[in-house]
Amino acid sequence: MVQLRTKRRKTRAVRVGNVVVGGNAPVVVQSMTNTDTADREATARQVIELAKAGSELVRITVDRKEAAQQVPYIKEILDREGINAPLVGDFHYNGHKLLKDYPDCAIALDKYRINPGNVGFRAKRDSQFSSIIDIALANDKPVRIGVNWGSLDQELLTSMMEDNARLAEPAEAASVMHEALVRSALMNAEGAQKQGMAADRIIISAKVSAVQDLVSVYTLLAKRCDYALHLGLTEAGMGSKGIVASTAALAIMLQQSIGDTIRISLTPEPGAARTKEVQVAQEILQSMGMRSFIPAVIACPGCGRTTSTVFQELAQDIEGHIRAQMPFWSEKYPGVEQLNFAVMGCIVNGPGESKHADIGISLPGTGESPAAPVFIDGQKAMTLRGENIAGQFKDVVEDYIKNRFG
């Protein structure tokens, strides 16, 4: 697969548990639970689901004592189940108190997320921020200093807006807010360093919920620091809107080598799996040629030549089969994630696309002979016929993987 990020932006490598973020490491996929952390069984179960789906870091909310008390037990469950994805604690308002009052929680977490806009107000802000940094230093934990435009330091923003208004040619309000986000993140990161935290123990983010705002903010950040950057469009939304907006924003930044770890902040549809955000993050990175997580399935969109739904059903069947098999395949057959499959619907592009894939099948279109040629490594290997072409093709896929990687 072509590597598009030919020139890596140089950032400091930050070790979070067993995962490296930044430096020359691949872009890391992360996610966040939406369970009540006080419910340790439900939270551990969701962390396991996210980790098995491919989330390399998982963040949990630690918002009150009942949640903080359960973190060590959640970690025990994960260890027992063989889940080693680092656990990140998300703190707002009272993180300094929870980490101090519940030291086992502070020890069990692999990283602390601090929001400077919510860490305290006026005179208390510096002391409460410093308290969290002290605890992180004592426990040798990295931190993410995560600024968010929904909870930006209002004193800083007001001051900057007033200074801007006094200029002969004031900047647009949006530009001032972008600068305020960047300045808040960098000021707090520099403050943590002055307190003794190394730059390679700090990840920063400046989350916004509009694509162009994200591009502006992270472009500024990348020019002014070498901290590892957490990249994501916050409150992206639900369904296709959230997926498209996140993809548009992250693709622009990743193409410029900006972003060391990503999270897709999708609003889950009722009853939908939380793992969707992990899948989308993986598909963004894989589509851009930056990482491979699962064999790619190329499938044609269909047209008047493909009035049969056979190729649609087969493409869906193969996608589902691959995802179901990946936990087994990835352990037994290293490298399988780089395979490409093609499921095509007629003779126009079917044979050509199939030849370019590792394994491809060209199904009969409207009026075509009821036969499906299969191509393996660019050569026609066989022709499938009958009522169970899907089952036969899956057998071909399984045999190919065993022969190539087994």
Side-chain angles (χ1 to χ4, degrees):
M1 184 172 288
V2 176
Q3 169 59 265
L4 294 180
R5 291 205 326 177
T6 53
K7 187 177 180 181
R8 292 291 303 272
R9 171 179 171 264
K10 189 173 181 179
T11 59
R12 295 178 184 272
V14 181
R15 181 166 290 279
V16 183
N18 62 339
V19 172
V20 175
V21 177
N24 292 319
V27 178
V28 172
V29 172
Q30 65 175 278
S31 60
M32 185 174 183
T33 60
N34 62 351
T35 54
D36 180 357
T37 307
D39 184 343
R40 66 185 178 198
E41 296 293 337
T43 301
R45 187 162 56 248
Q46 192 172 82
V47 172
I48 292 168
E49 289 170 359
L50 291 165
K52 286 186 174 180
S55 184
E56 293 157 307
L57 297 173
V58 182
R59 183 157 45 112
I60 62 174
T61 298
V62 187
D63 58 345
R64 62 196 196 281
K65 68 176 185 178
E66 291 82 3
Q69 288 170 336
Q70 295 305 319
V71 171
Y73 298 105
I74 292 168
K75 188 73 170 178
E76 284 182 9
I77 295 171
L78 300 180
D79 290 343
R80 191 165 61 242
E81 294 296 322
I83 301 298
N84 59 7
L87 208 56
V88 180
D90 193 67
F91 295 98
H92 297 269
Y93 306 112
N94 59 354
H96 61 290
K97 182 171 175 55
L98 293 174
L99 287 166
K100 180 182 177 182
D101 292 348
Y102 300 96
D104 287 347
C105 169
I107 293 169
L109 293 169
D110 294 288
K111 186 178 77 171
Y112 311 150
R113 187 276 175 122
I114 316 167
N115 183 340
N118 287 340
V119 76
F121 302 95
R122 295 188 173 87
K124 292 182 178 180
R125 180 184 295 111
D126 290 344
S127 65
Q128 292 178 181
F129 179 84
S130 296
S131 176
I132 297 176
I133 297 300
D134 280 339
I135 295 169
L137 288 167
N139 290 290
D140 192 23
K141 306 293 184 179
V143 297
R144 170 160 73 100
I145 296 173
V147 182
N148 190 301
W149 76 346
S151 51
L152 182 58
D153 180 341
Q154 291 303 300
E155 287 183 69
L156 174 64
L157 180 60
T158 299
S159 173
M160 291 180 63
M161 285 291 189
E162 290 173 350
D163 290 344
N164 181 64
R166 286 191 286 267
L167 297 175
E169 295 183 15
E172 293 183 0
S175 296
V176 178
M177 179 173 279
H178 297 165
E179 176 62 24
L181 283 160
V182 172
R183 194 175 299 182
S184 176
L186 294 180
M187 284 171 52
N188 283 279
E190 289 162 8
Q193 278 195 252
K194 287 177 182 177
Q195 204 170 322
M197 179 156 281
D200 64 1
R201 302 299 279 162
I202 299 171
I203 298 172
I204 64 175
S205 66
K207 295 284 200 75
V208 295
S209 56
V211 172
Q212 295 300 338
D213 290 309
L214 180 138
V215 172
S216 296
V217 169
Y218 275 88
T219 300
L220 289 172
L221 265 179
K223 288 178 180 177
R224 287 158 60 177
C225 75
D226 62 358
Y227 295 113
L229 297 181
H230 170 117
L231 181 62
L233 193 73
T234 193
E235 296 115 18
M238 182 180 285
S240 60
K241 185 270 180 188
I243 294 171
V244 171
S246 293
T247 303
L250 270 60
I252 294 170
M253 294 289 88
L254 291 167
Q255 183 67 13
Q256 297 179 52
S257 198
I258 296 172
D260 300 290
T261 178
I262 65 173
R263 190 249 168 143
I264 307 300
S265 300
L266 295 180
T267 304
E269 297 177 10
R274 187 68 166 178
T275 52
K276 184 70 174 178
E277 65 179 56
V278 178
Q279 182 181 337
V280 173
Q282 290 179 331
E283 288 177 355
I284 290 172
L285 294 174
Q286 184 152 335
S287 295
M288 295 189 70
M290 294 176 178
R291 291 189 66 182
S292 294
F293 297 96
I294 190 170
V297 178
I298 300 163
C300 72
C303 66
R305 295 186 183 89
T306 57
T307 52
S308 167
T309 61
V310 173
F311 87 94
Q312 299 165 7
E313 292 161 359
L314 180 56
Q316 184 180 49
D317 199 6
I318 291 298
E319 285 265 16
H321 182 68
I322 289 170
R323 288 204 172 274
Q325 291 294 100
M326 271 309 291
F328 168 74
W329 284 351
S330 60
E331 282 193 17
K332 192 169 183 180
Y333 306 123
V336 68
E337 67 279 356
Q338 297 183 30
L339 290 179
N340 288 288
F341 301 140
V343 179
M344 304 302 292
C346 77
I347 201 171
V348 174
N349 291 315
E353 289 283 2
S354 296
K355 287 177 183 177
H356 289 304
D358 294 295
I359 309 176
I361 185 169
S362 180
L363 292 156
T366 305
E368 292 180 13
S369 174
V374 174
F375 297 83
I376 297 177
D377 294 331
Q379 302 296 320
K380 183 178 177 181
M382 64 195 75
T383 300
L384 303 180
R385 295 181 174 84
E387 298 297 319
N388 188 31
I389 287 177
Q392 294 177 62
F393 186 63
K394 281 193 286 187
D395 289 341
V396 172
V397 168
E398 289 281 359
D399 288 342
Y400 178 85
I401 290 172
K402 288 175 185 176
N403 291 332
R404 179 167 171 177
F405 299 100

